[in-house]
Amino acid sequence: MSFETYLQTDFIPILALLAILLNSNSKFASIPNAKRFQRLTFFIIGSLLADAITWYMFSRTDLFPLTIMWIANIAYFILATGTSYFWYVYVYYQINGENLTLHQKRNLTLCKIPFLTICVMVILSPWTHALFYIDSVTHAYIRGGGHLLYSLCIMSYIISACVISFVAKRHALFRTEKTDYNFLLCAGIIPLVGFAFQIINPDLLYIWPSSSVGVCLLYINFQEQRISIDALTSLNNRKNLERFLQVKVNKDNCDWYFIMLDVDDFKFINDKFGHMEGDRALQLIAQGLKKVLGNSSSFICRYGGDEFAIIVDGTKDYEIDTLIQSFRDTVWDLSQVYETPFHIHLSGGYAKFVDLQTTPPLRLVAMADEKMYNDKNMRKHKHMKI
Amino acid sequence: MDFILHLNIYMFPMILLLVIVFSMRKNPIQTMHTQLFTQLLLATILLLFTDLLSWISNSLLSLVINMIFFALTPLVSIMWLNYLTFCFQNKTIFKYSLIKKGLLICPLILYYFMLIVTPITHWIFQINLHGQYERGTFFLFPYILSFFYMMISFILCLLSIEKNGLSTQKNKALSYAGLTLIPLFSTLIQNLFLGIWISLPITAVVEFLLYLDFQNQQVTTDSLTRLNNRGCFDIYLRDAVTQPRFGFQLYLFMMDLNHFKAINDTYGHAVGDQALVQTADILRKCLHNNEGFLSRYGGDEFALIRFCENDRVAQEFANQIQRAFITANNELNLPYSLSISIGFAHLHKEWGTPVKTLIETADVMMYQNKKGGR
């Protein structure tokens, strides 16, 4: 295989990855996992470059001294293993969130061991010839006995990333989470398929291009998440609600309800205690809603400033009434636990989906809205009487 | 050997584009914008695929595959033009006047006629006895046609820079103009240096860039009003304070829709949303010929960043906005009346005003304005 092929095969993915790196710069500030993603991108770009450079050296063996060839190959091995390690770390955090438990942190530290072992083995290779060596006379690259270990290490990181995404997908409660984990799973499977192809036919240089596609897929998913999730409460945002409704009204056969919740006198909390406390109140409500609906396949969304929309499966009106009451109770309990200086009262309204003709999405929202305002007015009058 | 080489080089762009298509189809809400883009991507994938297959020598297969390849070559370019036209003018090329449309479509029809008779006349290409491809007399025609469409796309972008008042749109037009040139150059390089096959893969990467930009827009715009959202505002302000302009000062205008809560409570959320959209439209019109960065700050709050000479000019601009609302109220004839309160503050260079203070000062002035106004 000529050097031109290697160069061109690596060159196009490098361009695409550089584009991601440029695009991600300055727009990432608020997302914690962004740094890890950027590190992954750096490593994979490095691997692609090192790959092209080492192949160039082997096509022009007369040009380069032995030391430089050793260094380039060592760099390649470290970058390649690093790519798979950071891939795993990124996926791990993407699934488990930023606040890891002590146990999870220990697991992640243990996962570093194979990566470090390979690094040590590679650096010692000029003396031990463990992973590879370069013949001092012919300048030929020859695999060492430990090469299999290196391949295994890379594969096991990517496979583990796939496994944890698959497990997370099985345990996911909400539909949007499921699609996210699906993305992570696909992103891992693509390099594995590329790997398999290259093993079957060594002429197909698929490992790095397919890994690059995987990273691009991770980035697309990362962006999609930012598009569809509200940054403050990490609930779905309104755009995602529209998408979800579109699917729900066309496909789902079971009965379901659209619920609208609104915080009473939110403006008062904001004005009296400042915007920070207002934000905290919203986060607290989001936490409460998630807690109540934790075991069902429902959809929770921040609809607007202080409004929340929920879609739940159910058949009877009184079930929904109880549900709204339990929202109120849970949020009340949480505000007691966190000792907030304000009280949070929720007003709620709901509408049942009948069919697309009688209750199109917009009508559904309007109906729930109306009911919510009735609820709110009723409670206000009650307050006045007291 | 050439087939394996192409198999290696084309795998990445093909899978990448396929992945993008899948992630776009996942979204149940398909707009004209996404449809046009998906079509462009699919055409490019097919072009890559046929180019790849054309390296297998087999006379009958080669003929069919080369026919498809040459049919797609100018088609991808015209789809590109179509997509950019939609991005900047919000219409497809089929909505152009008859003359423009004729100028664009006629060469394509002529070309397709030539392509159809090519198996007999060998005008564009021919397949020799060994099943290999050979150039025909007019082999340059499809490339010239593609070049023509790409140049028109480029000119379209340049014209949009002139026309657009909003700085974000201007930047977009500029970057799209640059992106259009990249496939042109890569085609040139491919033709100059033998053995380099980067034209189509680079086109695919540029389409990936277009997709990233499409995603960025969704990240940075507020879905209801189509203005920039809060996150985008924060980044813009952070950058803007570090880039002073000579003779100008950075002014921040905070605007709040009056009686929004009342509109919402009386008429419901749907009408409340409509009021916000109308407000955004009026503000956008005010800015049409001026530079400035407009965004939705929160529920019913809007923020505008603009460079003005002094307080008097800024006040004049605020008055201009207020007048626009009075005019709009008369025109729209709504059950409620739209009005806003405006407060503004400017960056004191010598004091090094922090961004937070800037927002707070503008906010306080807005509330005073609101009390006075009501």
Side-chain angles (χ1 to χ4, degrees):
Chain A
M1 191 101 319
S2 71
F3 160 68
E4 278 79 14
T5 315
Y6 284 106
L7 181 70
Q8 290 182 58
T9 318
D10 287 344
F11 174 64
I12 304 293
I14 288 178
L15 279 187
L17 291 167
L18 278 178
I20 288 180
L21 213 54
L22 281 180
N23 190 59
S24 64
N25 236 348
S26 89
K27 291 188 183 101
F28 264 169
S30 57
I31 294 167
N33 213 3
K35 275 273 163 300
R36 290 184 201 97
F37 182 79
Q38 283 189 328
R39 205 175 302 152
L40 169 64
T41 321
F42 268 124
F43 265 80
I44 194 166
I45 292 177
S47 310
L48 283 158
L49 274 176
D51 189 42
I53 289 171
T54 45
W55 282 111
Y56 181 63
M57 287 179 169
F58 287 114
S59 65
R60 303 273 169 87
T61 40
D62 47 322
L63 273 180
F64 297 93
L66 203 61
T67 341
I68 292 190
M69 291 175 87
W70 274 108
I71 292 172
N73 273 289
I74 288 172
Y76 170 74
F77 276 100
I78 291 177
L79 285 167
T81 325
T83 305
S84 63
Y85 169 67
F86 285 116
W87 183 301
Y88 179 73
V89 172
Y90 171 77
V91 171
Y92 195 86
Y93 273 96
Q94 199 71 0
I95 290 172
N96 294 312
E98 280 307 305
N99 305 316
L100 298 184
T101 60
L102 218 62
H103 180 67
Q104 286 171 324
K105 268 184 192 157
R106 209 183 54 217
N107 276 353
L108 213 53
T109 323
L110 284 177
C111 286
K112 217 181 258 174
I113 292 172
F115 172 48
L116 293 177
T117 318
I118 296 288
C119 282
V120 172
M121 279 174 75
V122 170
I123 292 169
L124 294 178
S125 270
W127 298 279
T128 60
H129 295 192
L131 278 183
F132 73 101
Y133 67 95
I134 295 166
D135 195 284
S136 49
V137 185
T138 56
H139 284 211
Y141 163 90
I142 298 159
R143 281 183 183 177
H147 195 276
L148 194 70
L149 201 67
Y150 150 81
S151 306
L152 256 159
C153 170
I154 288 197
M155 291 285 264
S156 55
Y157 274 130
I158 306 285
I159 292 176
S160 320
C162 285
V163 169
I164 57 171
S165 346
F166 183 71
V167 171
K169 188 190 140 196
R170 290 290 295 275
H171 290 286
L173 300 170
F174 300 106
R175 242 183 257 195
T176 40
E177 281 180 7
K178 273 200 166 114
T179 50
D180 268 350
Y181 298 141
N182 249 339
F183 252 109
L184 293 179
L185 185 62
C186 287
I189 285 175
I190 294 173
L192 289 179
V193 173
F195 215 88
F197 267 107
Q198 189 156 351
I199 288 171
I200 295 166
N201 183 352
D203 274 347
L204 298 175
L205 314 169
Y206 278 0
I207 291 182
W208 289 113
S210 60
S211 309
S212 312
V213 172
V215 172
C216 291
L217 188 55
L218 288 181
Y219 187 67
I220 289 174
N221 174 42
F222 192 88
Q223 293 266 83
E224 276 296 319
Q225 247 183 332
R226 295 182 63 196
I227 293 169
S228 55
I229 283 175
D230 173 59
L232 181 69
T233 57
S234 4
L235 297 177
N236 296 291
N237 64 12
R238 194 161 158 176
K239 192 171 224 155
N240 222 18
L241 174 74
E242 282 164 18
R243 290 178 179 182
F244 185 81
L245 273 177
Q246 193 78 19
V247 179
K248 190 91 176 165
V249 294
N250 287 320
K251 278 189 189 152
D252 234 329
N253 294 322
C254 62
D255 289 329
W256 54 272
Y257 281 86
F258 181 88
I259 308 175
M260 193 74 141
L261 296 174
D262 185 294
V263 188
D264 296 347
D265 300 316
F266 182 67
K267 207 155 181 95
F268 171 76
I269 297 178
N270 249 343
D271 290 350
K272 178 121 194 234
F273 302 101
H275 277 96
M276 296 296 282
E277 285 295 323
D279 286 353
R280 220 179 95 193
L282 293 175
Q283 281 167 336
L284 206 141
I285 294 165
Q287 198 186 336
L289 297 183
K290 271 188 187 163
K291 200 171 164 189
V292 174
L293 290 169
N295 298 318
S296 61
S297 65
S298 18
F299 182 92
I300 315 173
C301 139
R302 183 168 171 215
Y303 190 76
D306 58 340
E307 292 144 358
F308 296 85
I310 296 154
I311 294 169
V312 284
D313 294 339
T315 45
K316 302 273 178 348
D317 279 7
Y318 69 84
E319 288 174 4
I320 307 302
D321 280 321
T322 351
L323 191 65
I324 293 179
Q325 193 51 47
S326 63
F327 288 148
R328 280 191 198 118
D329 296 343
T330 315
V331 171
W332 173 261
D333 289 346
L334 279 176
S335 69
Q336 295 294 343
V337 171
Y338 291 109
E339 295 173 345
T340 51
F342 45 80
H343 296 300
I344 303 171
H345 295 283
L346 294 173
S347 303
Y350 54 85
K352 189 178 182 180
F353 177 73
V354 185
D355 56 53
L356 204 50
Q357 273 71 44
T358 29
T359 49
L362 274 179
R363 173 100 190 88
L364 211 58
V365 176
M367 278 161 67
D369 224 25
E370 202 184 316
K371 215 159 176 181
M372 185 191 75
Y373 276 109
N374 287 342
D375 182 45
K376 182 168 286 204
N377 287 336
M378 213 173 70
R379 285 149 57 81
K380 261 191 193 157
H381 286 304
K382 238 191 238 169
H383 274 293
M384 278 178 195
K385 270 182 202 161
I386 294 164
Chain B
M1 207 59 210
D2 272 341
F3 178 65
I4 295 283
L5 183 134
H6 277 81
L7 208 56
N8 280 326
I9 300 172
Y10 282 9
M11 202 285 298
F12 174 76
M14 267 164 59
I15 306 287
L16 179 64
L17 292 187
L18 270 178
V19 162
I20 298 174
V21 170
F22 274 117
S23 96
M24 287 190 82
R25 301 302 295 178
K26 209 188 65 185
N27 185 351
I29 301 171
Q30 296 289 332
T31 59
M32 191 71 181
H33 193 114
T34 55
Q35 273 171 9
L36 287 177
F37 192 61
T38 318
Q39 282 165 12
L40 174 66
L41 291 179
L42 287 173
T44 318
I45 294 172
L46 203 59
L47 193 63
L48 277 156
F49 190 60
T50 48
D51 194 16
L52 178 64
L53 287 185
S54 70
W55 291 94
I56 307 174
S57 311
N58 175 323
S59 58
L60 190 69
L61 195 69
S62 302
L63 184 71
V64 177
I65 284 167
N66 275 299
M67 287 289 273
I68 300 174
F69 176 78
F70 281 104
L72 282 172
T73 306
L75 204 64
V76 169
S77 308
I78 205 168
M79 278 174 160
W80 184 290
L81 173 65
N82 202 10
Y83 176 68
L84 290 194
T85 317
F86 192 81
C87 281
F88 292 115
Q89 303 181 349
N90 224 349
K91 61 180 182 188
T92 59
I93 48 172
F94 301 105
K95 298 267 168 66
Y96 274 148
S97 65
L98 205 62
I99 303 169
K100 275 191 191 167
K101 208 160 52 178
L103 267 174
L104 286 175
I105 307 280
C106 274
L108 197 67
I109 292 172
L110 175 70
Y111 169 70
Y112 278 143
F113 169 73
M114 284 174 73
L115 188 65
I116 288 169
V117 296
T118 286
I120 307 156
T121 58
H122 304 314
W123 273 340
I124 312 280
F125 68 93
Q126 61 169 320
I127 305 297
N128 67 15
L129 291 173
H130 305 293
Q132 276 157 347
Y133 160 88
E134 272 177 19
R135 284 173 174 176
T137 331
F138 301 105
F139 80 98
L140 270 180
F141 192 26
Y143 298 107
I144 291 172
L145 209 55
S146 297
F147 196 80
F148 168 66
Y149 290 133
M150 293 305 265
M151 276 324 275
I152 292 181
S153 317
F154 178 67
I155 293 164
L156 180 94
C157 295
L158 290 187
L159 288 180
S160 308
I161 300 176
E162 283 296 304
K163 264 186 215 157
N164 258 300
L166 294 175
S167 55
T168 42
Q169 277 296 94
K170 258 185 192 168
N171 285 339
K172 185 180 163 186
L174 194 66
S175 55
Y176 276 30
L179 287 182
T180 308
L181 286 182
I182 296 175
L184 284 179
F185 277 119
S186 59
T187 313
L188 214 65
I189 289 172
Q190 174 163 337
N191 286 321
L192 287 178
F193 302 97
L194 215 65
I196 291 184
W197 310 100
I198 52 168
S199 164
L200 283 177
I202 285 194
T203 311
V205 171
V206 173
E207 277 166 19
F208 176 58
L209 284 176
L210 288 183
Y211 179 65
L212 286 185
D213 188 67
F214 173 65
Q215 273 196 324
N216 281 346
Q217 277 168 44
Q218 285 179 298
V219 174
T220 55
T221 47
D222 172 57
S223 63
L224 181 67
T225 58
R226 300 259 148 240
L227 295 180
N228 299 301
N229 64 14
R230 172 72 187 274
C232 190
F233 167 81
D234 288 338
I235 292 170
Y236 185 89
L237 187 60
R238 197 185 64 197
D239 291 346
V241 291
T242 56
Q243 296 161 353
R245 289 189 199 180
F246 185 72
F248 288 90
Q249 276 171 318
L250 187 147
Y251 275 83
L252 172 71
F253 296 77
M254 292 297 278
M255 293 166 280
D256 192 302
L257 190 58
N258 293 335
H259 311 294
F260 177 64
K261 192 97 189 157
I263 297 175
N264 239 347
D265 289 356
T266 329
Y267 302 100
H269 275 124
V271 179
D273 285 352
Q274 193 197 328
L276 288 174
V277 174
Q278 282 157 346
T279 311
D281 286 341
I282 298 167
L283 289 174
R284 207 180 278 131
K285 260 185 213 154
C286 287
L287 265 181
H288 191 69
N289 295 317
N290 300 305
E291 234 177 278
F293 181 90
L294 186 59
S295 70
R296 184 172 173 206
Y297 187 76
D300 57 342
E301 272 188 275
F302 297 87
L304 169 68
I305 301 167
R306 196 173 133 80
F307 285 91
C308 301
E309 286 92 339
N310 49 39
D311 276 11
R312 204 171 47 79
V313 178
Q315 184 59 52
E316 177 48 40
F317 185 66
N319 294 342
Q320 193 187 321
I321 294 175
Q322 296 284 21
R323 278 199 299 276
F325 271 87
I326 295 169
T327 333
N329 267 326
N330 292 335
E331 280 171 7
L332 290 169
N333 209 359
L334 300 164
Y336 47 87
S337 85
L338 288 172
S339 66
I340 54 168
S341 309
I342 308 179
F344 59 83
H346 73 97
L347 203 66
H348 287 278
K349 237 179 291 168
E350 56 273 31
W351 304 344
T353 329
V355 169
K356 208 175 146 225
T357 329
L358 186 70
I359 297 174
E360 271 165 10
T361 322
D363 233 11
V364 167
M365 190 169 158
M366 184 190 76
Y367 275 115
Q368 282 170 357
N369 184 323
K370 181 159 273 193
K371 272 183 204 150
R374 279 182 180 178

